[in-house]
Amino acid sequence: MRPRRALLNLAALGVLAVSVFPVYWMVLTAFKPTTDILSETPTFWPAHPTLEHFTTAVGTPGFWTFWGNSLSITVGAVLLALVVALLAAFAVARMRWRGRRAFILMVFIAQMAPWEALLVSMYIVARDTGMLDKLSMLTLIYFMTTLPFTIVTLRGFIAAIPPELEEAAQMDGCSRTAAFRRVVLPLLAPGLMSTSLFGFITAWNEFAFANALIIKNQADRTLPVWLSSFSNVFGTDWGATMAAATLFMLPVLAIFLVLQRRVTSGLIAGAVKG
C-alpha cells in the first residue's frame, strides 16, 4: 500500500504543479522588469522585482471604474441568486406540491446547459428591450447563470436539517418564518458561503456576455473585457497586463482564504446530502 500511496501522492503533486504554474507565472511576470519579460532566457524568480507594472495598471484610465462595475454586477447577481434560491430550495426540500419533480428536473437541466449557447438570443432580447449597454442586464444574466447551482446546493443543505428542529421551535411559540430565521438559517451558513463563492467566481470571471452586450458605452465595461484589450500602440504591455490580472484575481483569492473551511465543508455536504 505504501508504494501505491506514494505514487498517488506524486501524481497529485504533478497535477498541482501543472495547475498552479500558470498562476505563478502570471504573478512572477507582474513583478519582473520589462527587460526580463522580453528576454529569450526565461527566469523563474525576479532578480530585481519591481512594482512598476502595478503602478501602470492601476494608473490606466478607467481601471477603478471597471473594477467597480465588476464588483457591483457580481455582488448584485450573487445576492439576488441567494434570496431567490433560498426560497426555491426551501419549497423543494420541505414542501410537497404538484410539479415538484418536474421543477427539480428543470433546475438540473438548466445547471448543465451551456449558457454561452444563449448569447445570440440574449443579445436580441437586450436589443429589443433597450437593455444593451446596461449593467443591469449583465446582473440579470449572471443571476440566471448562478441560480440553478445555488438552488441545487441549498436544497441539499435544507434537506439535511431535521424538520424536527423547526417543529420544536414552533412548539415554543415561533411562527414558521421565525423558526426558519432562527433555526434553519444559521445552520445554512456553510451552504450560503459555498454557493456565494461559486456565484462570485462565475460572475467575476465572465467575459462573453459582457463583451457582447456592452458595445457603445465603454465606461460600463467589466474588468475581464478591459483586460482583453489591454494594449498600446507598441503592442501588448505584458508586465502591466499580468499585474492587472493579478489584481483581478485578488478578491476571489481573499474571499476563498477567509471562507476556506466553511466552503469546503459546504460543497461536500451539499453534494452528498438531500
Side-chain angles (χ1 to χ4, degrees), residues 48-150:
H48 305 285
T50 177
L51 296 177
E52 176 186 357
H53 302 309
F54 289 94
T55 304
T56 301
V58 173
T60 302
F63 174 81
W64 293 111
T65 299
F66 304 139
W67 181 286
N69 291 343
S70 291
L71 188 62
S72 62
I73 293 172
T74 300
V75 173
V78 169
L79 291 178
L80 277 174
L82 282 179
V83 173
V84 176
L86 187 59
L87 298 176
F90 185 83
V92 169
R94 285 284 192 265
M95 303 177 184
R96 298 294 180 265
W97 38 276
R98 181 176 299 178
R100 174 175 168 271
R101 292 183 180 276
F103 175 79
I104 297 174
L105 180 61
M106 290 175 58
V107 170
F108 275 105
I109 293 175
Q111 183 181 351
M112 294 184 292
W115 285 95
E116 288 75 12
L118 301 176
L119 183 58
V120 176
S121 58
M122 289 291 187
Y123 176 86
I124 295 174
V125 170
R127 182 197 62 190
D128 294 344
T129 57
M131 295 292 286
L132 277 178
D133 293 302
K134 293 186 182 297
L135 295 179
S136 55
M137 185 64 184
L138 285 180
T139 303
L140 290 175
I141 291 175
Y142 296 165
F143 155 67
M144 292 185 294
T145 303
T146 58
L147 184 60
F149 174 85
T150 310

Side-chain angles (χ1 to χ4, degrees), residues 166-239:
E166 295 176 72
E167 295 172 359
Q170 293 180 50
M171 291 181 63
D172 289 338
C174 289
S175 64
R176 187 163 192 175
T177 303
F180 175 80
R181 187 179 68 253
R182 297 181 180 181
V183 177
V184 177
L185 199 57
L187 297 176
L188 286 178
L192 294 174
M193 291 180 183
S194 59
T195 52
S196 297
L197 180 61
F198 171 82
F200 190 93
I201 294 174
T202 301
W204 185 258
N205 293 330
E206 203 283 324
F207 172 82
F209 284 102
N211 188 50
L213 300 181
I214 304 297
I215 303 173
K216 296 180 181 179
N217 191 3
Q218 297 298 307
D220 283 342
R221 290 188 299 175
T222 59
L223 271 179
V225 178
W226 175 76
L227 282 174
S228 69
S229 60
F230 196 84
S231 59
N232 52 41
V233 294
F234 302 104
T236 302
D237 186 344
W238 291 111

Side-chain angles (χ1 to χ4, degrees), residues 1-18:
M1 291 297 293
R2 288 186 177 181
R4 181 180 178 183
R5 186 171 183 178
L7 288 175
L8 290 175
N9 290 338
L10 186 62
L13 288 175
V15 172
L16 177 64
V18 172

